[in-house]
């Protein structure tokens, strides 16, 4: 099966323009006969890179409030026109897509990985279980609702957002559903994918596809409330890519690609997964459910209020 990571640069905080770019890249992938395409974490509508460079934790700071308001306004709803247009493109072009999004729900933003099937449409929306460090200033805490593996072509695919790929329980939940291709999405720091995709691949005896993005100061709109503060920080590149693909034995299929906007493509032979499971299957013949007793995953969507009329 041919798979690809879209190592791309979003139209930051412009959901309409980024939606157009997502559709364009799906078209490009289809032209390359790609069957599964993965976009970086929160590609639509952008990663909150300003937080660590502008004192994002300053309490009751007006500029930080205005930045959050702009970020919330650019986020998308799962039933909105952006996802509808992308889902239509997925259906027309026949490419299964994992898309990192900033999901708006009321006044809260979730880091959500959306899985879109060409025939069935949106099949899962996985909200990041635990935002990492300063991300908790702008993202809500997710739940297990999207911890699901999907059939794609000859294989089964699951995905996680950024640092939750470090969470053994989250990986275990996907391995236990007979995952063979693990998708990991990242904002775009090469050090994140220097070793973890190879570790996941070897641990799960899976292929691991890591999608990283690109983002620089030049991508930040002039009217963003903290643009001047970002200029004063004198850092021009926030996300530099690092997309990569690892094989089930922990070797690279494609080593991390840095500072380049392109499709990172590979043809995967899933007999390699079955070969590597001859001696290790973490939730199969090498597991001990009698010792590690009663592992349960709650996949109910967490909602603040239930109305019964």
């Amino acid at each position: 099966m041919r798979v690809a990571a879209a190592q791309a640069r979003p139209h930051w905080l412009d959901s309409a323009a980024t939606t157009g770019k997502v559709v364009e890249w799906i078209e490009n992938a289809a032209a390359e006969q790609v069957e599964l395409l993965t976009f970086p974490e929160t590609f639509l509508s952008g990663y909150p890179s300003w937080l660590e460079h502008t004192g994002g934790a300053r309490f009751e700071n007006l500029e930080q409030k205005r930045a959050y308001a702009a970020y919330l306004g650019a986020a998308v709803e799962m039933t909105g026109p952006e996802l509808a247009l992308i889902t239509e493109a997925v259906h027309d072009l026949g490419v299964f897509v994992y898309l990192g999004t900033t999901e708006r729900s009321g006044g809260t933003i979730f880091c959500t990985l959306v899985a879109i099937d060409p025939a069935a449409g949106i099949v899962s929306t996985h909200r990041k279980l635990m935002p990492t460090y300063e991300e908790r200033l702008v993202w809500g805490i997710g739940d297990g609702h999207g911890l699901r593996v999907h059939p794609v072509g000859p294989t089964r695919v699951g995905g996680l957002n950024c640092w939750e790929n470090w969470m053994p329980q989250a990986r275990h939940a996907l391995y236990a559903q007979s995952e063979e291709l693990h998708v990991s999405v990242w904002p775009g720091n090469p050090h994140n994918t220097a070793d973890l995709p190879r570790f996941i691949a070897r641990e799960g005896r899976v292929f691991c596809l890591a999608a990283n993005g690109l983002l620089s100061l030049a991508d930040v709109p002039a009217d963003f409330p903290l643009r001047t503060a970002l200029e004063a920080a004198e850092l021009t590149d926030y996300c530099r890519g690092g997309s990569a693909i690892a094989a089930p034995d922990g070797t690279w299929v494609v080593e991390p690609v840095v500072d380049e906007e392109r499709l990172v493509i590979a043809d995967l032979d899933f007999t390699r997964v079955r070969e590597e499971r001859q001696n290790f299957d973490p939730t199969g013949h090498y597991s001990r459910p009698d010792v590690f007793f009663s592992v349960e995953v709650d996949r109910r969507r967490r909602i603040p209020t239930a109305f019964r009329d």
Side-chain angles (χ1 to χ4, degrees):
M1 187 170 81
R2 179 165 288 187
V3 304
Q7 183 157 293
R9 189 178 297 279
H11 297 281
W12 198 69
L13 302 199
D14 187 335
S15 59
T18 303
T19 296
K21 186 161 188 174
V22 169
V23 171
E24 177 188 348
W25 279 60
I26 298 172
E27 292 171 343
N28 294 341
E32 296 286 344
Q33 298 182 315
V34 168
E35 298 168 72
L36 181 140
L37 175 65
T38 301
F39 288 86
E41 183 182 46
T42 61
F43 185 75
L44 177 71
S45 300
Y47 185 76
S49 293
W50 79 86
L51 292 168
E52 64 176 308
H53 306 299
T54 62
R58 286 179 293 169
F59 197 74
E60 296 295 345
N61 179 268
L62 183 57
E63 286 188 333
Q64 293 292 340
K65 286 186 176 184
R66 287 173 175 166
Y68 180 81
Y71 196 54
L72 179 65
V76 301
E77 296 179 351
M78 292 297 99
T79 57
E82 300 87 358
L83 267 297
L85 184 61
I86 292 167
T87 300
E88 182 180 355
V90 167
H91 172 75
D92 292 344
L93 296 164
V95 180
F96 193 106
V97 168
Y98 273 93
L99 175 63
T101 67
T102 49
E103 177 193 356
R104 182 173 65 246
S105 178
T108 297
I109 302 165
F110 292 98
C111 169
T112 301
L113 183 59
V114 182
I116 311 173
D117 183 277
I122 295 176
V123 289
S124 66
T125 53
H126 175 54
R127 292 173 173 174
K128 191 172 186 177
L129 293 167
M130 179 56 68
T132 303
Y133 205 49
E134 74 272 1
E135 293 170 356
R136 297 173 204 175
L137 297 168
V138 293
W139 292 345
I141 294 173
D143 54 34
H145 183 70
L147 289 174
R148 301 173 190 272
V149 167
H150 307 290
V152 183
T155 193
R156 294 176 61 79
V157 188
L160 295 174
N161 295 285
C162 199
W163 267 33
E164 66 181 354
N165 285 281
W166 284 107
M167 298 175 70
Q169 303 98 321
R171 298 195 307 271
H172 179 91
L174 299 183
Y175 298 157
Q177 298 172 69
S178 301
E179 182 188 55
E180 294 186 331
L181 172 59
H182 182 91
V183 166
S184 64
V185 299
W186 309 82
N189 295 313
H191 68 268
N192 283 326
T193 50
D195 52 11
L196 189 56
R198 294 198 305 129
F199 170 79
I200 291 173
R202 188 154 175 79
E203 176 190 59
R205 296 305 201 260
V206 295
F207 283 100
C208 185
L209 170 63
N212 276 20
L214 301 167
L215 186 69
S216 65
L217 179 62
D219 300 311
V220 178
D223 61 352
F224 181 64
L226 288 164
R227 172 66 195 238
T228 301
L230 285 170
E231 292 172 353
E234 297 184 345
L235 180 67
T236 57
D237 291 310
Y238 309 127
C239 300
R240 299 183 52 225
S243 299
I245 303 170
D249 62 355
T251 59
W252 288 121
V253 177
V254 180
E255 294 187 16
V257 177
V258 180
D259 294 330
E260 187 178 355
E261 189 173 32
R262 69 175 176 91
L263 288 172
V264 178
I265 300 175
D267 293 313
L268 307 183
D269 178 2
F270 288 94
T271 61
R272 292 287 297 108
V273 172
R274 294 188 282 276
E275 290 170 358
E276 292 304 319
R277 288 185 178 171
Q278 183 260 350
N279 54 29
F280 187 76
D281 182 358
T283 57
H285 63 74
Y286 210 91
S287 66
R288 285 294 304 275
D290 56 324
V291 177
F292 303 104
F293 183 69
S294 187
V295 176
E296 296 183 2
V297 178
D298 187 345
R299 296 200 301 198
R300 290 174 292 179
R301 174 65 86 208
R302 297 301 181 186
I303 56 175
T305 307
F307 293 95
R308 295 184 176 90
D309 294 322

